[in-house]
Amino acid sequence: MLIFHVCTRGRTCPKRRSCDVAEALREAIVEFDAVAKAVVVEEACLCLCRTGPTVVFMPGNHQYGHVQPADCRELVESHVRLQQPLRRLLAVGSA
Ligand code: FES
């Protein structure tokens, strides 16, 4: 299973539209016909608050920062279709 963990219950990410990010990820998963293999899981703080909204993709522990709803289609395409991380959004130090 491909999992996009989104911080929607931390202190800062929700103020930066992380709930909209979660919704945009869900829409992109549908668009790429990946409902059977990819999910969005809304989380409490993922300890990357300074660069939120935060998305962590598993497997691989790819940590994304400053994710906006407009980025989500490209993010889902990278992992679901191209099977590679989206380098431009990776948080510093992320794999
Ligand atoms: S509040 Fe989102 S990572 Fe901490």
Coordinates of all heavy atoms in Angstrom, one line a residue:
M1 N 0.8 -1.2 0.0 CA 0.0 0.0 0.0 C 0.9 1.2 0.0 O 1.9 1.3 0.7 CB -0.9 0.0 1.2 CG -1.9 1.1 1.3 SD -3.1 1.3 -0.1 CE -4.2 -0.1 0.3
L2 N 0.5 2.2 -0.8 CA 1.2 3.5 -0.8 C 0.4 4.4 0.1 O -0.8 4.6 0.0 CB 1.2 4.1 -2.3 CG 1.7 3.1 -3.3 CD1 1.6 3.8 -4.7 CD2 3.2 2.7 -3.0
I3 N 1.2 5.1 1.0 CA 0.5 5.9 2.0 C 1.1 7.3 2.0 O 2.3 7.5 2.2 CB 0.6 5.3 3.4 CG1 0.1 3.8 3.4 CG2 -0.2 6.1 4.4 CD1 0.4 3.1 4.7
F4 N 0.1 8.3 1.9 CA 0.5 9.7 2.0 C 0.0 10.1 3.4 O -1.2 10.3 3.6 CB -0.2 10.5 0.9 CG 0.3 10.3 -0.5 CD1 -0.3 9.3 -1.2 CD2 1.3 11.0 -1.0 CE1 0.1 9.0 -2.5 CE2 1.8 10.7 -2.3 CZ 1.1 9.8 -3.1
H5 N 1.0 10.2 4.3 CA 0.6 10.7 5.7 C 0.6 12.2 5.6 O 1.6 12.9 5.3 CB 1.7 10.2 6.7 CG 1.7 8.8 6.8 ND1 0.9 8.0 7.7 CD2 2.5 7.8 6.2 CE1 1.2 6.8 7.6 NE2 2.2 6.6 6.7
V6 N -0.5 12.8 6.1 CA -0.6 14.3 6.0 C -0.9 14.8 7.4 O -1.8 14.3 8.1 CB -1.7 14.8 5.1 CG1 -1.8 16.3 5.0 CG2 -1.6 14.1 3.7
C7 N -0.1 15.8 7.9 CA -0.3 16.4 9.2 C -1.5 17.3 9.1 O -1.4 18.4 8.5 CB 0.9 17.1 9.7 SG 0.6 18.1 11.1
T8 N -2.6 16.9 9.7 CA -3.8 17.8 9.7 C -4.3 18.1 11.1 O -5.2 18.8 11.3 CB -5.0 17.1 8.9 OG1 -5.3 15.9 9.5 CG2 -4.7 16.9 7.4
R9 N -3.5 17.5 12.1 CA -4.0 17.7 13.5 C -2.8 18.3 14.3 O -2.9 18.3 15.5 CB -4.5 16.4 14.1 CG -5.7 15.9 13.4 CD -6.5 14.9 14.1 NE -5.6 13.7 14.4 CZ -5.5 12.7 13.6 NH1 -6.1 12.6 12.5 NH2 -4.7 11.7 14.0
G10 N -1.8 18.8 13.7 CA -0.7 19.5 14.4 C -1.1 20.9 14.7 O -2.2 21.3 14.4
R11 N -0.2 21.7 15.2 CA -0.5 23.0 15.6 C -0.4 24.0 14.4 O -1.1 25.0 14.4 CB 0.4 23.5 16.7 CG 0.1 22.8 18.0 CD 0.9 23.3 19.2 NE 0.6 24.7 19.5 CZ 1.0 25.3 20.5 NH1 1.9 24.7 21.3 NH2 0.7 26.6 20.7
T12 N 0.5 23.8 13.5 CA 0.8 24.7 12.5 C 0.3 24.3 11.1 O -0.2 25.2 10.3 CB 2.3 25.1 12.4 OG1 3.0 23.9 12.2 CG2 2.8 25.7 13.7
C13 N 0.5 23.1 10.7 CA 0.1 22.7 9.3 C -1.4 23.0 9.0 O -1.6 23.5 7.9 CB 0.4 21.2 9.1 SG 2.2 20.8 9.1
P14 N -2.3 22.8 9.9 CA -3.7 23.1 9.5 C -3.9 24.6 9.2 O -4.7 24.9 8.3 CB -4.5 22.7 10.7 CG -3.7 21.6 11.4 CD -2.3 22.0 11.2
K15 N -3.1 25.4 9.8 CA -3.2 26.8 9.5 C -2.7 27.2 8.1 O -2.9 28.3 7.6 CB -2.5 27.7 10.6 CG -3.0 27.5 12.0 CD -2.2 28.2 13.0 CE -2.6 27.9 14.4 NZ -1.7 28.4 15.4
R16 N -1.9 26.2 7.6 CA -1.3 26.4 6.2 C -2.0 25.5 5.2 O -1.4 25.1 4.2 CB 0.2 26.1 6.3 CG 0.9 27.0 7.3 CD 2.4 26.5 7.4 NE 3.1 27.3 8.3 CZ 4.2 26.9 8.9 NH1 4.7 25.8 8.6 NH2 4.9 27.7 9.8
R17 N -3.3 25.2 5.4 CA -4.1 24.5 4.5 C -3.8 23.0 4.3 O -4.0 22.4 3.2 CB -4.1 25.2 3.1 CG -4.5 26.6 3.1 CD -4.5 27.2 1.7 NE -5.5 26.6 0.9 CZ -5.4 26.6 -0.4 NH1 -4.5 27.2 -1.1 NH2 -6.4 26.0 -1.1
S18 N -3.3 22.4 5.3 CA -3.0 21.0 5.2 C -4.2 20.1 5.0 O -4.2 19.1 4.3 CB -2.2 20.4 6.4 OG -3.0 20.5 7.6
C19 N -5.4 20.5 5.5 CA -6.6 19.8 5.2 C -7.0 19.8 3.7 O -7.4 18.9 3.1 CB -7.8 20.3 6.0 SG -7.6 20.0 7.8
D20 N -6.7 21.0 3.1 CA -6.9 21.1 1.6 C -5.9 20.2 0.9 O -6.2 19.7 -0.2 CB -6.8 22.5 1.2 CG -7.9 23.4 1.7 OD1 -9.0 22.9 2.1 OD2 -7.7 24.6 1.7
V21 N -4.7 20.1 1.4 CA -3.7 19.2 0.8 C -4.2 17.8 0.9 O -4.1 17.1 -0.1 CB -2.3 19.4 1.6 CG1 -1.4 18.3 1.1 CG2 -1.7 20.8 1.3
A22 N -4.7 17.4 2.0 CA -5.2 16.0 2.1 C -6.3 15.7 1.1 O -6.3 14.7 0.4 CB -5.7 15.7 3.5
E23 N -7.2 16.7 1.0 CA -8.3 16.5 0.0 C -7.8 16.5 -1.4 O -8.2 15.7 -2.2 CB -9.3 17.6 0.2 CG -10.5 17.5 -0.6 CD -11.3 16.2 -0.4 OE1 -11.2 15.7 0.8 OE2 -11.9 15.6 -1.3
A24 N -6.8 17.3 -1.7 CA -6.3 17.4 -3.1 C -5.5 16.1 -3.4 O -5.6 15.6 -4.6 CB -5.3 18.6 -3.3
L25 N -4.9 15.5 -2.4 CA -4.2 14.2 -2.6 C -5.2 13.1 -2.9 O -5.0 12.3 -3.8 CB -3.4 13.8 -1.4 CG -2.1 14.6 -1.2 CD1 -1.5 14.3 0.2 CD2 -1.1 14.2 -2.3
R26 N -6.3 13.1 -2.2 CA -7.4 12.1 -2.4 C -8.0 12.3 -3.9 O -8.2 11.3 -4.5 CB -8.5 12.3 -1.4 CG -8.1 11.8 0.0 CD -9.3 11.8 0.9 NE -9.0 11.4 2.2 CZ -8.7 12.2 3.2 NH1 -8.9 13.5 3.1 NH2 -8.3 11.8 4.4
E27 N -8.2 13.5 -4.3 CA -8.7 13.7 -5.6 C -7.7 13.2 -6.7 O -8.1 12.6 -7.7 CB -9.0 15.2 -5.8 CG -10.2 15.7 -5.0 CD -10.4 17.2 -5.1 OE1 -9.6 17.9 -5.8 OE2 -11.2 17.7 -4.3
A28 N -6.4 13.5 -6.4 CA -5.4 13.0 -7.4 C -5.3 11.5 -7.5 O -5.1 10.9 -8.5 CB -4.1 13.6 -7.1
I29 N -5.5 10.9 -6.3 CA -5.5 9.4 -6.3 C -6.6 8.8 -7.1 O -6.4 7.9 -7.9 CB -5.5 8.9 -4.8 CG1 -4.2 9.2 -4.1 CG2 -5.9 7.4 -4.8 CD1 -4.2 9.0 -2.6
V30 N -7.7 9.5 -7.0 CA -8.9 9.0 -7.9 C -8.6 9.3 -9.3 O -8.8 8.4 -10.2 CB -10.2 9.8 -7.5 CG1 -11.3 9.5 -8.5 CG2 -10.6 9.3 -6.1
E31 N -8.0 10.5 -9.6 CA -7.7 10.8 -11.0 C -6.7 9.8 -11.6 O -6.9 9.5 -12.8 CB -7.1 12.2 -11.1 CG -6.7 12.7 -12.5 CD -6.1 14.1 -12.5 OE1 -6.2 14.8 -11.5 OE2 -5.5 14.4 -13.5
F32 N -5.8 9.4 -10.9 CA -4.8 8.4 -11.4 C -5.2 7.0 -11.2 O -4.4 6.1 -11.4 CB -3.4 8.6 -10.8 CG -2.7 9.8 -11.3 CD1 -2.7 11.0 -10.6 CD2 -2.1 9.8 -12.5 CE1 -2.1 12.2 -11.1 CE2 -1.4 10.9 -13.1 CZ -1.4 12.1 -12.4
D33 N -6.5 6.8 -10.9 CA -7.1 5.5 -10.8 C -6.3 4.6 -9.9 O -6.0 3.4 -10.2 CB -7.2 4.8 -12.2 CG -8.1 3.6 -12.2 OD1 -9.0 3.6 -11.3 OD2 -8.0 2.8 -13.1
A34 N -5.9 5.1 -8.7 CA -5.0 4.4 -7.8 C -5.7 4.2 -6.4 O -5.0 3.9 -5.5 CB -3.8 5.2 -7.6
V35 N -7.0 4.2 -6.4 CA -7.7 4.0 -5.1 C -7.4 2.7 -4.5 O -7.3 2.6 -3.3 CB -9.2 4.2 -5.3 CG1 -10.0 3.8 -4.1 CG2 -9.5 5.6 -5.8
A36 N -7.1 1.7 -5.3 CA -6.9 0.3 -4.7 C -5.5 0.2 -4.1 O -5.2 -0.7 -3.4 CB -7.1 -0.7 -5.8
K37 N -4.6 1.1 -4.4 CA -3.2 1.0 -4.0 C -2.7 2.2 -3.2 O -1.5 2.1 -2.7 CB -2.3 0.6 -5.1 CG -2.2 1.7 -6.2 CD -1.2 1.2 -7.3 CE -1.2 2.1 -8.4 NZ -0.3 1.7 -9.5
A38 N -3.4 3.3 -3.1 CA -2.9 4.4 -2.4 C -3.9 5.0 -1.5 O -5.1 5.1 -1.9 CB -2.4 5.5 -3.4
V39 N -3.5 5.5 -0.3 CA -4.4 6.1 0.6 C -3.8 7.4 1.2 O -2.6 7.5 1.2 CB -4.8 5.2 1.7 CG1 -5.6 4.0 1.2 CG2 -3.6 4.7 2.5
V40 N -4.7 8.2 1.7 CA -4.2 9.4 2.5 C -4.6 9.1 4.0 O -5.7 8.7 4.2 CB -4.9 10.7 2.0 CG1 -4.6 11.8 2.9 CG2 -4.5 11.0 0.6
V41 N -3.6 9.3 4.8 CA -3.9 9.1 6.3 C -3.6 10.4 6.9 O -2.5 11.0 6.8 CB -3.0 8.0 6.9 CG1 -3.3 7.9 8.4 CG2 -3.3 6.7 6.2
E42 N -4.6 11.0 7.6 CA -4.4 12.2 8.3 C -3.8 12.0 9.7 O -4.3 11.1 10.4 CB -5.8 13.0 8.4 CG -6.3 13.3 7.0 CD -7.4 14.3 7.0 OE1 -7.6 15.1 7.9 OE2 -8.2 14.2 6.1
E43 N -2.8 12.7 10.0 CA -2.0 12.5 11.2 C -2.0 13.7 12.2 O -2.2 14.8 11.7 CB -0.6 12.1 10.8 CG -0.4 11.0 9.8 CD -0.6 9.6 10.5 OE1 -0.9 9.6 11.7 OE2 -0.3 8.7 9.8
A44 N -1.5 13.4 13.4 CA -1.1 14.5 14.3 C 0.2 15.0 13.8 O 0.8 14.5 12.8 CB -1.1 14.0 15.7
C45 N 0.9 15.8 14.6 CA 2.1 16.4 14.2 C 3.2 15.4 13.8 O 3.4 14.4 14.5 CB 2.7 17.2 15.4 SG 4.3 18.0 15.1
L46 N 3.8 15.6 12.7 CA 4.9 14.7 12.2 C 6.3 15.2 12.5 O 7.2 14.8 11.9 CB 4.7 14.5 10.7 CG 3.4 13.8 10.3 CD1 3.1 13.9 8.8 CD2 3.4 12.3 10.7
C47 N 6.3 16.3 13.3 CA 7.6 16.8 13.8 C 8.4 17.5 12.7 O 9.7 17.4 12.7 CB 8.4 15.7 14.5 SG 7.5 15.0 15.9
L48 N 7.7 18.0 11.7 CA 8.4 18.8 10.7 C 7.7 20.1 10.5 O 7.4 20.6 9.4 CB 8.4 18.0 9.3 CG 9.2 16.7 9.4 CD1 8.8 15.8 8.2 CD2 10.7 17.0 9.3
C49 N 7.3 20.7 11.6 CA 6.4 21.8 11.7 C 6.9 23.0 10.9 O 6.1 23.7 10.3 CB 6.1 22.2 13.1 SG 5.7 20.8 14.2
R50 N 8.2 23.3 11.0 CA 8.7 24.5 10.4 C 8.5 24.6 8.9 O 8.5 25.6 8.3 CB 10.2 24.7 10.7 CG 10.4 25.3 12.1 CD 11.8 25.7 12.4 NE 12.7 24.6 12.2 CZ 14.0 24.7 12.2 NH1 14.6 25.9 12.3 NH2 14.8 23.7 12.0
T51 N 8.5 23.4 8.3 CA 8.3 23.3 6.8 C 7.0 22.8 6.4 O 6.8 22.4 5.2 CB 9.4 22.4 6.2 OG1 9.4 21.2 6.8 CG2 10.8 23.1 6.4
G52 N 6.0 22.9 7.3 CA 4.6 22.5 6.9 C 4.0 23.3 5.9 O 4.4 24.5 5.7
P53 N 2.9 22.9 5.3 CA 2.3 21.6 5.5 C 3.2 20.4 5.1 O 3.9 20.4 4.1 CB 1.1 21.7 4.5 CG 0.8 23.1 4.3 CD 2.2 23.7 4.3
T54 N 3.1 19.4 6.0 CA 4.0 18.3 5.9 C 3.2 17.0 5.3 O 2.1 16.7 5.8 CB 4.5 17.9 7.3 OG1 5.2 19.0 7.8 CG2 5.4 16.7 7.2
V55 N 3.9 16.4 4.4 CA 3.4 15.1 3.8 C 4.6 14.1 3.9 O 5.7 14.4 3.5 CB 2.9 15.2 2.4 CG1 2.5 13.8 1.8 CG2 1.7 16.2 2.3
V56 N 4.3 12.9 4.5 CA 5.4 11.9 4.5 C 4.8 10.7 3.7 O 3.7 10.2 4.0 CB 5.7 11.5 5.9 CG1 6.7 10.3 5.9 CG2 6.3 12.7 6.7
F57 N 5.6 10.3 2.7 CA 5.2 9.2 1.9 C 5.9 7.9 2.3 O 7.1 7.9 2.5 CB 5.5 9.5 0.4 CG 5.1 8.3 -0.5 CD1 3.8 8.1 -0.9 CD2 6.1 7.4 -0.9 CE1 3.5 7.0 -1.7 CE2 5.8 6.3 -1.7 CZ 4.5 6.1 -2.1
M58 N 5.1 6.9 2.4 CA 5.6 5.5 2.7 C 5.1 4.6 1.6 O 4.0 4.7 1.2 CB 5.1 5.0 4.1 CG 5.7 5.8 5.2 SD 7.5 5.5 5.4 CE 7.7 5.8 7.1
P59 N 6.0 3.6 1.3 CA 7.3 3.3 1.8 C 8.4 4.3 1.4 O 8.2 5.0 0.3 CB 7.6 1.9 1.2 CG 6.8 1.9 0.0 CD 5.6 2.7 0.2
G60 N 9.4 4.4 2.1 CA 10.6 5.2 1.8 C 10.8 6.4 2.7 O 11.9 7.0 2.7
N61 N 9.8 6.7 3.5 CA 9.9 7.8 4.4 C 10.3 9.1 3.7 O 11.2 9.9 4.1 CB 10.9 7.5 5.5 CG 10.8 8.5 6.7 OD1 9.7 9.1 6.9 ND2 11.9 8.8 7.3
H62 N 9.7 9.4 2.5 CA 10.0 10.6 1.8 C 9.2 11.8 2.5 O 8.0 11.7 2.6 CB 9.6 10.5 0.3 CG 10.3 9.4 -0.4 ND1 11.7 9.4 -0.6 CD2 9.9 8.2 -0.9 CE1 12.0 8.3 -1.2 NE2 11.0 7.5 -1.4
Q63 N 10.0 12.8 2.9 CA 9.4 13.8 3.7 C 9.3 15.1 2.9 O 10.3 15.6 2.4 CB 10.2 14.1 4.9 CG 10.3 12.9 5.8 CD 11.3 13.0 6.9 OE1 12.1 14.0 7.0 NE2 11.4 12.1 7.8
Y64 N 8.0 15.6 2.7 CA 7.8 16.7 1.9 C 7.4 17.9 2.7 O 6.6 17.8 3.6 CB 6.7 16.4 0.8 CG 7.1 15.4 -0.2 CD1 6.6 14.1 0.0 CD2 8.0 15.7 -1.2 CE1 7.0 13.1 -0.9 CE2 8.4 14.7 -2.1 CZ 7.9 13.4 -2.0 OH 8.3 12.4 -2.8
G65 N 7.9 19.1 2.3 CA 7.5 20.3 3.1 C 6.9 21.4 2.2 O 7.1 21.3 0.9
H66 N 6.2 22.3 2.8 CA 5.6 23.4 2.1 C 4.6 22.9 1.0 O 4.6 23.5 -0.1 CB 6.6 24.4 1.5 CG 7.6 24.9 2.5 ND1 7.2 25.8 3.5 CD2 8.9 24.7 2.7 CE1 8.2 26.1 4.2 NE2 9.3 25.4 3.8
V67 N 4.0 21.8 1.2 CA 3.1 21.2 0.2 C 1.8 22.0 0.1 O 1.2 22.3 1.1 CB 2.8 19.7 0.5 CG1 1.9 19.1 -0.6 CG2 4.1 18.9 0.6
Q68 N 1.5 22.3 -1.1 CA 0.2 23.1 -1.4 C -0.7 22.2 -2.2 O -0.3 21.3 -2.9 CB 0.5 24.4 -2.1 CG 1.4 25.4 -1.3 CD 0.7 25.8 0.0 OE1 -0.5 26.2 0.0 NE2 1.3 25.6 1.1
P69 N -2.0 22.5 -2.1 CA -3.0 21.7 -2.9 C -2.6 21.6 -4.4 O -2.7 20.6 -5.0 CB -4.3 22.5 -2.7 CG -4.2 23.1 -1.4 CD -2.7 23.5 -1.3
A70 N -2.0 22.7 -4.9 CA -1.6 22.7 -6.4 C -0.5 21.7 -6.7 O -0.3 21.4 -7.8 CB -1.2 24.1 -6.8
D71 N 0.2 21.3 -5.6 CA 1.3 20.3 -5.8 C 0.9 18.9 -5.8 O 1.7 18.0 -6.2 CB 2.4 20.5 -4.7 CG 3.0 21.8 -4.6 OD1 3.4 22.4 -5.6 OD2 3.1 22.3 -3.5
C72 N -0.3 18.6 -5.4 CA -0.7 17.2 -5.1 C -0.8 16.3 -6.3 O -0.5 15.1 -6.2 CB -2.0 17.3 -4.2 SG -1.7 18.0 -2.6
R73 N -1.3 16.9 -7.4 CA -1.4 16.0 -8.6 C 0.0 15.5 -9.0 O 0.2 14.3 -9.3 CB -2.1 16.8 -9.7 CG -2.4 16.0 -10.9 CD -3.0 16.8 -12.0 NE -3.4 15.9 -13.1 CZ -2.5 15.4 -14.0 NH1 -1.3 15.7 -14.0 NH2 -3.0 14.7 -15.0
E74 N 1.0 16.4 -9.0 CA 2.3 16.1 -9.4 C 2.9 15.1 -8.3 O 3.7 14.2 -8.7 CB 3.2 17.3 -9.5 CG 4.6 17.1 -10.0 CD 5.4 18.4 -10.1 OE1 4.9 19.5 -9.7 OE2 6.5 18.3 -10.6
L75 N 2.6 15.3 -7.1 CA 3.1 14.4 -6.0 C 2.6 13.0 -6.2 O 3.3 12.0 -6.1 CB 2.8 15.0 -4.6 CG 3.4 14.3 -3.4 CD1 4.9 14.3 -3.5 CD2 2.9 15.1 -2.2
V76 N 1.3 12.9 -6.4 CA 0.7 11.6 -6.6 C 1.2 10.9 -7.9 O 1.6 9.8 -7.9 CB -0.8 11.7 -6.7 CG1 -1.5 10.3 -7.1 CG2 -1.4 12.0 -5.3
E77 N 1.3 11.7 -9.0 CA 1.9 11.2 -10.2 C 3.3 10.6 -10.0 O 3.6 9.6 -10.5 CB 1.9 12.2 -11.3 CG 2.4 11.7 -12.6 CD 2.4 12.8 -13.7 OE1 2.6 14.0 -13.4 OE2 2.1 12.4 -14.9
S78 N 4.1 11.3 -9.2 CA 5.5 10.9 -9.0 C 5.5 9.5 -8.4 O 6.3 8.7 -8.8 CB 6.2 11.9 -8.2 OG 6.4 13.1 -8.9
H79 N 4.7 9.4 -7.3 CA 4.8 8.1 -6.6 C 4.0 7.0 -7.2 O 4.4 5.8 -7.2 CB 4.4 8.3 -5.1 CG 5.5 9.0 -4.3 ND1 6.6 8.3 -4.0 CD2 5.6 10.2 -3.8 CE1 7.4 9.2 -3.3 NE2 6.8 10.3 -3.2
V80 N 2.8 7.3 -7.7 CA 1.9 6.2 -8.2 C 2.3 5.8 -9.6 O 2.3 4.6 -9.9 CB 0.5 6.7 -8.2 CG1 -0.5 5.8 -9.0 CG2 0.0 6.9 -6.7
R81 N 2.6 6.8 -10.5 CA 2.9 6.4 -11.8 C 4.4 6.3 -12.1 O 4.8 5.3 -12.8 CB 2.3 7.5 -12.8 CG 2.1 6.9 -14.2 CD 0.9 7.5 -14.9 NE 1.4 8.7 -15.6 CZ 0.6 9.5 -16.2 NH1 -0.7 9.3 -16.2 NH2 1.0 10.6 -16.8
L82 N 5.2 7.2 -11.7 CA 6.6 7.2 -12.0 C 7.4 6.5 -11.0 O 8.6 6.1 -11.2 CB 7.1 8.7 -12.1 CG 6.3 9.6 -13.1 CD1 6.9 11.0 -13.0 CD2 6.4 9.0 -14.5
Q83 N 6.8 6.2 -9.8 CA 7.5 5.5 -8.7 C 8.8 6.1 -8.4 O 9.8 5.4 -8.3 CB 7.6 4.0 -9.1 CG 6.3 3.4 -9.4 CD 6.3 1.9 -9.8 OE1 7.4 1.4 -10.0 NE2 5.2 1.3 -9.9
Q84 N 8.8 7.4 -8.2 CA 10.0 8.1 -7.7 C 9.6 9.3 -6.9 O 8.5 9.8 -7.1 CB 10.9 8.5 -8.9 CG 10.2 9.5 -9.8 CD 11.0 9.8 -11.1 OE1 11.8 9.0 -11.5 NE2 10.7 10.9 -11.7
P85 N 10.4 9.8 -6.0 CA 10.1 10.9 -5.2 C 10.0 12.2 -6.0 O 10.7 12.3 -7.1 CB 11.2 11.0 -4.1 CG 12.3 10.2 -4.7 CD 11.7 9.2 -5.6
L86 N 9.3 13.2 -5.5 CA 9.2 14.5 -6.2 C 10.3 15.4 -5.5 O 10.0 16.0 -4.5 CB 7.8 15.1 -6.1 CG 7.6 16.4 -6.7 CD1 7.9 16.4 -8.2 CD2 6.1 16.8 -6.5
R87 N 11.4 15.5 -6.2 CA 12.6 16.1 -5.5 C 12.4 17.5 -5.2 O 12.9 18.0 -4.1 CB 13.8 15.9 -6.4 CG 14.2 14.5 -6.7 CD 15.6 14.3 -7.0 NE 15.9 12.9 -7.1 CZ 16.1 12.0 -6.0 NH1 16.0 12.5 -4.8 NH2 16.4 10.8 -6.2
R88 N 11.6 18.3 -5.9 CA 11.5 19.7 -5.7 C 10.8 20.0 -4.3 O 11.0 21.1 -3.8 CB 10.9 20.4 -6.8 CG 9.4 20.2 -6.9 CD 8.8 21.0 -8.1 NE 7.3 20.8 -8.2 CZ 6.4 21.4 -7.4 NH1 6.8 22.3 -6.6 NH2 5.1 21.2 -7.6
L89 N 10.1 19.0 -3.8 CA 9.3 19.3 -2.6 C 9.9 18.6 -1.4 O 9.4 18.7 -0.3 CB 7.9 18.9 -2.7 CG 7.0 19.8 -3.6 CD1 5.6 19.2 -3.6 CD2 6.9 21.2 -3.0
L90 N 11.0 17.8 -1.6 CA 11.6 17.0 -0.5 C 12.1 18.0 0.6 O 12.8 19.0 0.3 CB 12.7 16.1 -0.9 CG 12.3 14.9 -1.7 CD1 13.5 14.1 -2.3 CD2 11.5 13.9 -0.8
A91 N 11.8 17.7 1.8 CA 12.4 18.5 2.9 C 13.9 18.3 3.0 O 14.4 17.2 2.7 CB 11.7 18.2 4.2
V92 N 14.6 19.2 3.5 CA 16.0 19.1 3.7 C 16.4 17.9 4.5 O 15.8 17.7 5.6 CB 16.6 20.4 4.3 CG1 18.1 20.2 4.6 CG2 16.4 21.5 3.4
G93 N 17.3 17.0 4.1 CA 17.7 15.9 4.8 C 16.8 14.7 4.5 O 17.1 13.6 5.0
S94 N 15.8 14.8 3.8 CA 14.9 13.7 3.5 C 15.5 12.8 2.4 O 16.3 13.3 1.5 CB 13.5 14.1 3.0 OG 12.7 13.0 2.6
A95 N 15.2 11.5 2.4 CA 15.8 10.6 1.5 C 15.2 10.8 0.1 O 14.1 11.2 0.0 CB 15.5 9.2 1.9
Ligands
FES1 S1 2.3 20.7 13.0 FE1 2.5 19.6 11.1 S2 4.4 18.6 11.3 FE2 4.1 19.6 13.2

